[in-house]
Amino acid sequence: MHHSSALPLSTKKHFEVLDGLRGIAALAVVVFHFIEMFIPNPENAIAHAYLAVDFFFCLSGFVIAYAYDDRMQQLGIGQFFKARLIRLHPLVVLGTILGLLAFVFDPFGNQWHTYGTGQLLLLFLTSILLIPYPIIGERAFNNFGLNAPAWTLFWEYIANILYALILHRLKRKVILMLAFVAVLGLIYVAKSAGNISGGWSKDNFWHGAARVACSFLLGMCVFRYQLFIKNRLGFLPLALLLALAFFVPFNEQYNWLTEPILVVFYFPLIIALGAGTTNSTRSSSICKFSGEISYPLYITHYFVLWSFLNYYQEVQPSNQTLAWVIPMLILGQIIVAYLALKLYDLPLRRWRNKNLH
């Protein structure tokens, strides 16, 4: 098995461009969620932006294997879980808090009245502990009614747990075989559901398992087989290539095939290119910012969307109005994510690193 010699994480090469691409994917999700709220057929606009989630999973498999494959033995499972929790969980909690506040103080809706204090408390606790609790009917029985995107974190945690317990020990041939089986699972989901957009609701809960299994394992394969494609594209061309995937037109007849092709071949290819590219110093600060903001943006952006939906249904704004309302809201979401990063997430991580070593 190829192992980069066991370097401490801080000295390992950092894949700047991959960080930058993470931000592009997060932004695609935010834009898609707005479009989904007011266009009856979002597939006509930015058809496959929800596949950004599969890109995240693939990137995660790659990055985790890169960061931990050669360190798991001396690091130990406990330390690995600690590191992952402090990286991911503070923002899960914040996303839930924002979701609860927006649910209760929504200026355009008062659906929360139908849920007693006990139910609200239970919703809040399950969301913080990442336990799916799909009871909000008017939110399409989201697994995490207060913070919809948390469903991906649920599966991310499962993938991380399996990585620590089993996957990091397996030879790369076995990982490849598992990935192959997972790809078949994904194609089955795509064929039976017509798309790969499930995982977020009680009705399509298990689709999430198929999505994470396939992409996480493929990401691991890209690293284990050292599929780094040397190139000089840099960040912007790769960002455009990634964005292209989200705009692939929707075709009723072939969609069950289009989406697995994007997930199974195109995303791992982009990661292989991103890992092998050289970046100009000019775009490296963009990549840094984009990478840092991606996770806070992804996990805290949804609280605005339920209010937006209520506003849209109640006020029925014209498209001219929406043309400035939506960009303003997206800018607001980016500002919230930036503040969450600077005032909450980074200080917490610094504190943890100082006090727990």
Side-chain angles (χ1 to χ4, degrees):
M1 221 167 75
H2 288 294
H3 268 170
S4 51
S5 57
L7 294 166
L9 197 53
S10 52
T11 54
K12 284 195 173 187
K13 173 180 179 307
H14 198 71
F15 294 111
E16 250 176 27
V17 171
L18 292 180
D19 272 352
L21 295 178
R22 198 188 296 263
I24 300 294
L27 197 57
V29 169
V30 174
V31 173
F32 174 78
H33 281 150
F34 273 107
I35 290 174
E36 188 183 39
M37 292 288 183
F38 72 92
I39 293 185
N41 300 67
E43 58 265 19
N44 300 336
I46 169 171
H48 295 99
Y50 49 78
L51 295 181
V53 165
D54 304 84
F55 180 76
F56 288 141
F57 286 148
C58 192
L59 194 52
S60 179
F62 174 83
V63 171
I64 295 269
Y66 169 69
Y68 294 104
D69 265 4
D70 55 5
R71 295 167 64 231
M72 269 314 281
Q73 292 327 105
Q74 72 260 44
L75 190 65
I77 289 172
Q79 281 300 324
F80 172 77
F81 287 151
K82 247 191 223 160
R84 296 307 289 153
L85 269 171
I86 196 71
R87 177 69 190 91
L88 299 172
H89 217 75
L91 285 163
V92 170
V93 173
L94 183 66
T96 301
I97 292 170
L98 292 172
L100 180 69
L101 293 173
F103 193 31
V104 175
F105 296 109
D106 183 347
F108 299 98
N110 52 8
Q111 287 107 327
W112 69 280
H113 285 313
T114 42
Y115 303 89
T117 318
Q119 285 285 39
L120 276 180
L121 197 63
L122 207 51
L123 266 167
F124 184 71
L125 280 175
T126 48
S127 187
I128 276 184
L129 298 170
L130 279 185
I131 301 165
Y133 185 49
I135 60 159
I136 305 186
E138 61 275 14
R139 295 186 169 183
F141 294 106
N142 257 285
N143 288 322
F144 296 92
L146 295 178
N147 192 19
W151 75 267
T152 58
L153 268 291
F154 170 84
W155 289 113
E156 175 69 27
Y157 274 5
I158 300 231
N160 281 217
I161 290 166
L162 290 174
Y163 173 81
L165 297 177
I166 306 165
L167 297 175
H168 81 272
R169 297 194 170 98
L170 301 177
K171 290 199 162 60
R172 64 185 192 173
K173 271 208 299 276
V174 182
I175 298 287
L176 189 62
M177 276 157 56
L178 288 173
F180 183 72
V181 174
V183 167
L184 297 178
L186 192 75
I187 292 168
Y188 172 76
V189 164
K191 190 86 178 95
S192 58
N195 61 42
I196 309 176
S197 70
W200 50 271
S201 136
K202 72 177 171 76
D203 305 324
N204 54 37
F205 176 80
W206 288 105
H207 296 186
R211 291 174 79 177
V212 72
C214 177
S215 289
F216 192 89
L217 289 164
L218 286 172
M220 280 188 73
C221 287
V222 174
F223 173 71
R224 289 280 187 94
Y225 283 91
Q226 296 287 297
L227 305 172
F228 299 4
I229 303 171
K230 287 268 171 276
N231 66 85
R232 308 190 62 165
L233 287 168
F235 172 62
L236 283 172
L238 282 171
L240 284 171
L241 283 174
L242 176 61
L244 270 181
F246 305 144
F247 288 97
V248 169
F250 184 86
N251 177 313
E252 201 70 48
Q253 202 181 347
Y254 295 114
N255 196 58
W256 68 273
L257 200 59
T258 322
E259 291 188 6
I261 286 172
L262 288 172
V263 171
V264 175
F265 298 108
Y266 193 65
F267 291 159
L269 172 68
I270 297 239
I271 288 170
L273 288 166
T277 197
T278 40
N279 201 20
S280 69
T281 34
R282 198 180 54 232
S283 54
S284 84
S285 53
I286 302 174
C287 287
K288 188 174 182 308
F289 176 77
S290 177
E292 280 189 336
I293 200 101
S294 61
Y295 177 51
L297 177 63
Y298 176 76
I299 199 70
T300 66
H301 80 278
Y302 217 89
F303 74 103
V304 175
L305 281 147
W306 297 120
S307 304
F308 172 75
L309 180 62
N310 290 337
Y311 154 78
Y312 183 75
Q313 286 168 346
E314 196 167 302
V315 180
Q316 297 185 325
S318 67
N319 284 348
Q320 283 88 332
T321 309
L322 289 176
W324 64 265
V325 167
I326 290 177
M328 290 303 288
L329 288 175
I330 290 177
L331 185 65
Q333 287 166 313
I334 292 172
I335 292 168
V336 168
Y338 183 73
L339 293 173
L341 175 76
K342 290 294 183 201
L343 305 178
Y344 171 74
D345 191 39
L346 288 176
L348 258 178
R349 275 194 267 165
R350 277 196 290 269
W351 174 86
R352 148 75 170 64
N353 291 338
K354 207 167 64 209
N355 293 355
L356 293 179
H357 275 311

